[in-house]
């Protein structure tokens, strides 16, 4: 870097001199003015893991204009408690007249190399359907699943009854409480993003007020003022869809947790009323035609404790979208998380398993050996036949099992060239790689 491309184009890392241009470029191409402060936050040096030089730009040397760009946001995720380095490519955009020239591919090669030098074992990106498959990614990890309840279904307070909880804004005195409740709430999650002290402080007070990544906090407390938990929500109400139909603007709850010993059931009616009051006070994003919120969207994953207490007859379920995931060296990642795989077998039908498991990816494969529930060998394996091994996963479909999006039975039903040779193999795979039904809070 820099790299001279064809047609007077140059690929280079961004500098602080590019902040204004990249903020304008991304806000315009992503059609969201709130991205402008987000880009500035990432580039100006206050973000815990990202800086200006983590952006790539393609510049037209004739005009000096930036025509394509993306960035890498490095972070640490955990897999069943085991930390691993994770790289998130984001803000991929190209001016329309410069598309289909391979500019994004050139930048992905640089970003992937940069990620490798940082020891990042996995990359993940959120984005439009299909496109990032071109660069070695599979839509493999759940995101944005949830439940929606319309405003006209909010329960009313019955005569003679009193509220069981209320909401109030967060103060810095609540920060430690939020961190402790959050840590307890994610203990059983397969995937999570590790948050250092610096990251927590940045989330509480570091992001620009108008950034689309600055989320707001509310404390849940009983009527005597005792803290029970927290809510985190987006600062605007956004347009919602159900089966292709515009359902109005939703107030979006992206995180919610209660402290140990407190359950949702007796809080739900009061909590819904308090959230609905907040929703009606929250501005609506410019993309929506509705002047105010029409419902509450709990974007908390496929499963969350609060769902059990919602009135099921009036709740709509939003199916999950997916992260694009790339694992450049699968055997290295599996070896890194090996203790977690062994832990997953405990208290399952596969506890204490002894035997082999050969995974056929058609051109490559992986060979596991187990001894009393411990992985004693984990190596690359080359299948000599398309029917060799105990299970087969074409292309990158195995990542859907690894990331907990699909069970083995669902994969074999969806892909005719994905198979297991017996029930034991399918059961062992499902025990090794449990479902992930929550929501990742990434950087």
């Amino acid at each position: 870097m820099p790299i001279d491309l064809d047609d007077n184009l140059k690929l280079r890392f961004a500098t602080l001199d590019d902040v204004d241009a990249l903020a304008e470029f991304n806000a315009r191409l992503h059609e969201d003015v709130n991205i402008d402060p987000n880009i500035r936050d990432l580039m100006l040096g206050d973000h815990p893991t990202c800086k200006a030089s983590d952006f790539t730009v393609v510049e037209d040397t004739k005009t000096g204009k930036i025509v394509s760009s993306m960035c890498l946001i490095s972070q640490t995720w955990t897999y069943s408690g085991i930390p691993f380095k994770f790289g998130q490519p984001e803000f991929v955009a190209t001016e329309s007249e410069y598309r289909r020239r391979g500019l994004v591919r050139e930048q992905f090669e640089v970003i992937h190399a940069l990620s490798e030098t940082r020891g990042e074992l996995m990359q993940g990106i959120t984005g439009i359907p299909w496109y990032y498959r071109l660069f070695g990614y599979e839509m493999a990890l759940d995101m944005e699943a949830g439940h929606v309840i319309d405003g006209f279904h909010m329960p009313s307070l019955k005569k003679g009854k009193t509220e069981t909880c209320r909401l109030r804004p967060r103060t810095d005195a609540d920060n430690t409480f939020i961190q402790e409740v959050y840590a307890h709430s994610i203990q059983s999650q397969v995937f999570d993003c590790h948050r250092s002290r610096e990251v927590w402080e940045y989330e509480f007070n570091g992001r620009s007020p108008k950034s689309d990544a600055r989320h707001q906090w509310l404390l849940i407390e009983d009527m005597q003022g005792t803290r029970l938990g927290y809510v985190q929500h987006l600062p605007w109400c956004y347009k919602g869809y159900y089966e292709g139909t515009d359902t109005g603007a939703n107030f979006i709850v992206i995180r919610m947790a209660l402290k140990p010993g407190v359950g949702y059931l007796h809080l739900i009616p009061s909590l819904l009323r308090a959230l609905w009051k907040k929703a009606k006070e929250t501005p609506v994003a410019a993309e929506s035609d509705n002047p105010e919120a029409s419902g509450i969207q709990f974007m908390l994953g496929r499963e969350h404790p609060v769902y059990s207490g919602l009135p099921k007859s009036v709740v709509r379920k939003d199916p999950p979208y997916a992260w694009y995931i790339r694992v450049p060296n699968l055997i290295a990642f599996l070896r890194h998380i090996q203790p977690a795989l062994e832990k997953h077998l405990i208290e399952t039908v596969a506890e204490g398993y002894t035997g082999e498991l050969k995974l056929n990816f058609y051109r490559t494969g992986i060979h596991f050996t187990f001894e009393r529930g411990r992985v004693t060998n984990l190596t690359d394996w080359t299948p000599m036949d398309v029917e060799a091994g105990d299970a087969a996963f074409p292309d990158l479909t195995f990542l859907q099992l690894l990331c907990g999006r699909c069970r083995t039975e669902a994969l074999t039903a969806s892909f005719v060239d994905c198979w297991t040779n017996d029930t034991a193999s399918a059961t062992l795979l499902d025990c090794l790689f449990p479902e992930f039904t929550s929501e990742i809070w990434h950087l």
Side-chain angles (χ1 to χ4, degrees):
M1 297 283 274
I3 300 172
D4 291 324
L5 308 176
D6 295 333
D7 302 322
N8 301 301
L9 300 177
K10 179 172 68 175
L11 170 59
R12 61 175 175 82
F13 289 118
T15 70
L16 288 174
D17 292 337
D18 298 308
V19 171
D20 290 341
L22 275 176
E24 184 279 331
F25 173 85
N26 278 281
R28 175 167 50 83
L29 267 68
H30 291 285
E31 299 180 343
D32 185 351
V33 295
N34 298 306
I35 285 180
D36 180 302
N38 196 356
I39 297 297
R40 295 177 188 276
D41 283 352
L42 290 169
M43 296 186 71
L44 288 174
D46 293 329
H47 191 277
T49 69
C50 191
K51 56 189 180 301
S53 59
D54 291 320
F55 282 73
T56 57
V57 297
V58 178
E59 178 183 337
D60 188 326
T61 57
K62 280 189 173 182
T63 64
K65 178 182 177 181
I66 292 174
V67 300
S68 185
S69 179
M70 62 187 294
C71 75
L72 177 67
I73 307 172
S74 293
Q75 49 209 274
T76 298
W77 282 21
T78 61
Y79 181 86
S80 290
I82 297 178
F84 66 92
K85 293 183 178 181
F86 179 92
Q88 182 178 347
E90 269 300 339
F91 297 108
V92 181
T94 303
E95 296 280 8
S96 58
E97 63 269 32
Y98 290 84
R99 293 172 186 168
R100 298 185 182 275
R101 300 192 193 183
L103 302 185
V104 171
R105 184 173 296 279
E106 292 279 359
Q107 291 174 90
F108 260 113
E109 289 183 6
V110 172
I111 289 294
H112 287 162
L114 180 61
S115 186
E116 182 180 357
T117 66
R118 296 175 178 178
E120 293 167 357
L121 297 177
M122 179 183 287
Q123 292 87 36
I125 184 170
T126 63
I128 58 176
W130 172 77
Y131 182 62
Y132 297 105
R133 294 181 185 275
L134 295 171
F135 311 106
Y137 289 77
E138 174 77 359
M139 301 188 83
L141 182 69
D142 270 10
M143 65 176 289
E144 297 182 351
H147 287 45
V148 180
I149 179 169
D150 292 319
F152 52 80
H153 287 308
M154 297 299 162
S156 57
L157 182 63
K158 294 181 180 179
K159 186 177 180 179
K161 298 292 185 179
T162 57
E163 301 288 12
T164 57
C165 68
R166 61 193 182 194
L167 298 174
R168 64 165 174 82
R170 176 197 67 86
T171 70
D172 282 345
D174 299 310
N175 293 356
T176 299
F177 173 80
I178 290 173
Q179 293 176 57
E180 291 173 349
V181 174
Y182 175 78
H184 184 269
S185 71
I186 62 167
Q187 285 181 344
S188 61
Q189 280 189 196
V190 180
F191 284 95
D192 183 54
C193 178
H194 173 71
R195 317 197 88 73
S196 65
R197 180 181 60 81
E198 293 78 13
V199 169
W200 272 111
E201 180 57 31
Y202 188 74
E203 297 290 359
F204 287 135
N205 297 307
R207 297 186 187 274
S208 298
K210 293 185 178 180
S211 169
D212 68 342
R214 185 183 178 96
H215 305 144
Q216 298 182 3
W217 301 85
L218 298 169
L219 269 292
I220 306 169
E221 59 182 22
D222 65 19
M223 303 311 290
Q224 290 73 46
T226 300
R227 294 178 299 196
L228 305 177
Y230 66 82
V231 172
Q232 192 182 30
H233 65 91
L234 298 187
W236 298 278
C237 298
Y238 287 93
K239 185 182 292 187
Y241 295 92
Y242 183 68
E243 297 181 348
T245 302
D246 182 354
T247 59
N250 289 326
F251 176 79
I252 301 178
V253 175
I254 54 174
R255 260 160 294 282
M256 183 162 58
L258 298 176
K259 67 182 182 181
V262 179
Y264 283 95
L265 191 58
H266 73 293
L267 300 177
I268 286 293
S270 290
L271 187 56
L272 286 175
R273 285 189 288 270
L275 287 170
W276 183 233
K277 180 181 178 181
K278 180 65 179 177
K280 290 187 289 185
E281 300 168 354
T282 300
V284 174
E287 64 173 14
S288 178
D289 299 327
N290 298 72
E292 62 179 26
S294 56
I296 297 175
Q297 181 174 354
F298 295 93
M299 196 182 291
L300 304 171
R302 274 188 281 168
E303 296 179 4
H304 189 276
V306 74
Y307 296 161
S308 299
L310 297 177
K312 292 181 174 50
S313 60
V314 298
V315 168
R316 300 192 305 273
K317 293 183 179 181
D318 277 348
Y321 192 56
W323 279 80
Y324 287 93
I325 295 296
R326 175 179 181 264
V327 181
N329 188 332
L330 184 58
I331 194 75
F333 183 78
L334 290 172
R335 285 172 176 166
H336 184 78
I337 65 168
Q338 178 178 320
L341 302 182
E342 296 172 349
K343 184 177 72 173
H344 291 164
L345 298 182
I346 298 172
E347 297 183 358
T348 73
V349 68
E351 184 169 17
Y353 177 75
T354 297
E356 293 183 311
L357 178 66
K358 291 183 177 180
L359 305 184
N360 184 340
F361 304 139
Y362 288 100
R363 289 185 174 181
T364 62
I366 291 178
H367 181 195
F368 290 83
T369 303
F370 298 87
E371 182 68 33
R372 297 180 181 179
R374 301 296 300 273
V375 178
T376 56
N377 192 45
L378 178 51
T379 57
D380 289 314
W381 167 66
T382 302
M384 304 308 294
D385 186 272
V386 294
E387 296 182 353
D390 303 298
F393 297 91
D395 299 325
L396 299 175
T397 54
F398 176 72
L399 295 183
Q400 297 193 39
L401 181 68
L402 172 67
C403 294
R405 181 172 173 82
C406 290
R407 301 292 77 210
T408 305
E409 182 179 4
L411 285 172
T412 56
S414 299
F415 300 91
V416 294
D417 50 354
C418 180
W419 50 262
T420 61
N421 61 6
D422 56 30
T423 302
S425 297
T427 300
L428 178 58
L429 285 166
D430 286 345
C431 292
L432 284 170
F433 306 105
E435 282 188 292
F436 174 75
T437 57
S438 303
E439 186 77 13
I440 288 281
W441 182 17
H442 59 94
L443 295 187

